[in-house]
């Protein structure tokens, strides 16, 4: 079953409204539903689509679904320069060809990531409303260099859910509550809830979230996406509102593993402003899509942690069993189940670390 087959009726109505508002059904080019970086690049290369037309469609969809209709509340701010950026990239493509797989592709980024443009960076807080930062976050510099179109900022749990022990997941004072596009009365999960809901609802091709502890993987899981929390230091944290320098990292959120790999590869780089990235010197740039080989898992040892995750949903248990069988079929050595005897051992002290590091890093 495709993801879109499971959409709630309220969102289906919104999707149809977006299609009518943007002329999707009558305009040449691919549908936005489940569009991937690769499929959109094919359309752009074949001149069935322009980056400007793609941005216009996403903006119409945001208006119909996020602002109206189901009112997902996932996009906190639109980039007023998005169409101009798309026009410039279309001209560049015509004159010199594409820079790479992200050329002309719209991306939404979480509103705790600095952009030196006409958008604010507030972490969802009214206290940070005001002039834009003086410099892009390093990963934003990388995205611009790759030719991505910064479509806007996404809503989030205010201060990345580090504002209270009783805060509401997915809510910010600036953006309100993010709704799950599959079930409007269910949590979209924080803190990267806006990126999760927006990409799940096809409001942009790909999105960027940040995570200290679960803030990419939870909204990705809840909204049916592929989310990756990279090893700390693979992606720079400079220009991102922090919690903890030992745990924070940005990461990709996408509909497919390939799209997540393309986005992760584009953002990776050694940044003098973030010493943690120094460990990647000599190992970058990387192209993670080279790993998409049927034989890539031969000889790999993969542990399956079942204890905390099985028994809640028979359907999910079946999916896990199917994934384990597939990994064995392609040559992986699967250890099933594995036990983590120290799991949870440090939960009580994690908050102490976060509090101390937040006080230092926020300055």
């Amino acid at each position: 079953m495709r993801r879109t087959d499971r959409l709630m009726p309220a969102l289906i109505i919104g999707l149809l409204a977006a299609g009518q508002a943007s002329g999707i059904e009558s305009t040449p080019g691919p549908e936005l539903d489940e569009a991937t970086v690769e499929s959109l690049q094919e359309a752009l290369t074949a001149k069935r689509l322009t980056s400007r037309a793609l941005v216009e469609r996403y903006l119409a969809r945001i208006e119909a679904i996020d602002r109206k209709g189901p009112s997902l509340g996932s996009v906190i701010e639109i980039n007023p320069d998005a169409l101009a950026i798309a026009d410039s990239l279309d001209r560049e493509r015509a004159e010199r060809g594409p820079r790479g797989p992200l050329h002309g592709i719209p991306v939404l980024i979480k509103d705790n990531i600095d952009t030196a443009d006409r958008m604010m960076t507030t972490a969802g807080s009214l206290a940070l409303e005001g002039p834009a930062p003086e410099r892009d976050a390093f990963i934003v510099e990388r995205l611009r260099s790759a030719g991505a179109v910064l479509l806007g900022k996404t809503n989030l749990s205010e201060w990345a859910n580090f504002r209270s022990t009783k805060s509401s997941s997915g809510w910010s004072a600036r953006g309100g509550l993010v709704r799950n596009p599959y079930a409007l009365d269910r949590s979209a999960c924080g803190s990267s809830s806006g990126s999760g809901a927006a990409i799940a609802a096809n409001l942009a091709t790909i999105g960027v979230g940040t995570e200290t502890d679960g803030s990419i993987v939870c909204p990705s899981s809840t909204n049916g996406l592929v989310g990756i929390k990279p090893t700390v230091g693979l992606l720079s944290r400079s220009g991102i509102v922090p919690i903890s320098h030992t745990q924070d990292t940005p990461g990709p959120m996408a509909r497919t593993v390939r799209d997540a790999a393309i986005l992760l590869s584009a953002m990776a780089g050694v940044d003098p402003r973030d010493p943690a990235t120094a460990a990647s010197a000599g190992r970058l740039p990387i192209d993670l899509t080279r790993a998409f080989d049927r034989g890539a898992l031969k000889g790999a040892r993969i542990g399956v942690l079942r204890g905390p995750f099985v028994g809640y949903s028979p359907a999910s248990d079946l999916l896990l069993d199917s994934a384990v069988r597939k990994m064995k079929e392609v040559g992986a050595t699967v250890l099933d189940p594995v036990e983590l005897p120290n799991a949870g051992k440090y939960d009580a002290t994690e908050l102490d670390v976060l509090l101390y590091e937040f006080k230092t890093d926020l300055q």
Side-chain angles (χ1 to χ4, degrees), residues 58-59 181 220 226 320 334:
Y58 280 127
L59 291 177
S220 295
V226 176
L320 175 59
V334 178

Side-chain angles (χ1 to χ4, degrees), residues 4-160:
T4 45
D5 294 335
R6 305 193 301 273
L7 289 171
M8 291 293 289
L11 182 53
I12 293 175
I13 294 171
L15 293 174
L16 293 175
Q20 294 168 356
S22 60
I24 290 172
E25 295 181 351
S26 60
T27 304
E31 300 283 354
L32 294 186
D33 287 2
E34 308 303 294
T36 65
V37 169
E38 197 169 49
S39 68
L40 292 175
Q41 281 297 343
E42 289 175 358
L44 289 163
T45 300
K47 299 182 180 180
R48 299 194 308 271
L49 185 68
T50 64
S51 181
R52 181 186 179 89
L54 186 57
V55 169
E56 287 176 338
R57 291 183 184 190
Y58 280 127
L59 291 177
R61 198 177 186 102
I62 289 169
E63 179 65 23
I65 297 173
D66 205 63
R67 302 290 194 261
K68 301 175 182 176
S71 300
L72 299 179
S74 63
V75 180
I76 204 168
E77 186 171 3
I78 294 293
N79 185 357
D81 299 318
L83 288 172
I85 294 170
D87 285 338
S88 175
L89 290 167
D90 282 334
R91 289 193 296 270
E92 182 180 325
R93 180 186 292 271
E95 295 169 1
R96 298 194 294 274
R99 302 181 192 181
L102 290 186
H103 189 111
I105 300 297
V107 57
L108 285 167
I109 65 173
K110 190 174 176 180
D111 181 43
N112 60 347
I113 302 172
D114 282 349
T115 56
D117 49 24
R118 292 196 285 166
M119 293 188 289
M120 294 184 287
T121 301
T122 68
S125 173
L126 300 178
L128 296 184
E129 284 189 333
E134 295 180 355
R135 180 174 178 178
D136 283 338
F138 180 80
I139 62 168
V140 172
E141 293 176 358
R142 297 283 296 168
L143 289 171
R144 293 193 199 274
S145 177
V149 179
L150 297 186
L151 189 62
K153 299 281 189 79
T154 55
N155 199 2
L156 68 160
S157 303
E158 187 172 325
W159 291 103

Side-chain angles (χ1 to χ4, degrees), residues 262-331:
I262 290 171
L263 181 54
L264 181 59
S265 297
M267 293 189 291
V270 177
D271 177 13
R273 292 194 290 161
D274 185 353
T277 64
S280 296
R283 303 180 184 181
L284 299 172
I286 55 174
D287 180 5
L288 294 173
T289 61
R290 290 181 299 180
F292 292 109
D293 178 340
R294 186 172 178 82
L297 289 183
K298 287 183 179 178
R301 286 167 55 86
I302 300 174
V304 181
L305 181 65
R306 289 183 176 267
F309 305 110
V310 298
Y312 298 98
S313 165
S316 296
D317 292 348
L318 288 173
L319 285 173
L320 175 59
D321 292 339
S322 175
V324 170
R325 285 195 301 272
K326 179 61 68 175
M327 288 187 288
K328 291 179 179 178
E329 289 172 7
V330 296

